[in-house]
């Protein structure tokens, strides 16, 4: 990991979420995409995702933001079901 990643991700052991980055947001479609640590892109729906942490609504999410997430199976396949946001660094 480089210094920038250390600043944006919480220390290991702080929680049990997978780590990823929001790469695309589509507010008009109520959808978004997260790139996982392995490089896979997984979708989420604003209507079906549970938020915790700093973001209180899906409109608080930002592209490029490092997050924690949890996955679940839906009728549309594998989707992100929970997103945890962390405090942004004050650069």
């Amino acid at each position: 990991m480089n210094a920038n990643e250390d600043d944006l991700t919480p220390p290991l052991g702080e929680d049990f979420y997978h780590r990823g980055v929001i790469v695309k947001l589509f507010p008009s479609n109520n959808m978004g995409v997260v790139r996982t640590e392995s490089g896979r892109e997984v979708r989420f729906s604003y209507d079906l995702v549970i938020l915790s942490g700093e973001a209180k609504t899906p409109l608080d999410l930002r592209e490029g933001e490092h997050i924690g997430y949890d996955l679940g199976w839906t009728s549309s396949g594998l989707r992100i079901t929970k997103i945890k946001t962390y405090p942004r660094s004050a650069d």
Side-chain angles (χ1 to χ4, degrees):
M1 271 189 201
N2 64 36
N4 288 341
E5 289 175 345
D6 290 337
D7 293 340
L8 297 174
T9 54
L12 290 176
E14 184 174 311
D15 60 34
F16 294 103
Y17 287 95
H18 301 283
R19 301 285 188 254
V21 177
I22 296 174
V23 292
K24 296 176 189 165
L25 292 171
F26 304 102
S28 61
N29 294 335
N30 291 332
M31 299 290 292
V33 179
V34 170
R35 181 170 293 127
T36 68
E37 292 173 314
S38 66
R40 182 176 182 177
E41 292 189 352
V42 182
R43 295 180 185 194
F44 66 91
S45 169
Y46 289 7
D47 300 330
L48 302 176
V49 74
I50 298 169
L51 295 174
S52 67
E54 298 291 306
K56 303 304 178 203
T57 71
L59 299 176
D60 294 335
L61 300 173
R62 301 285 175 251
E63 289 183 4
E65 184 172 15
H66 288 251
I67 60 162
Y69 66 89
D70 199 8
L71 297 168
W73 287 100
T74 70
S75 59
S76 300
L78 189 64
R79 295 286 186 260
I80 291 177
T81 57
K82 295 179 184 176
I83 292 178
K84 181 175 182 183
T85 55
Y86 301 101
R88 293 184 179 108
S89 62
D91 289 338

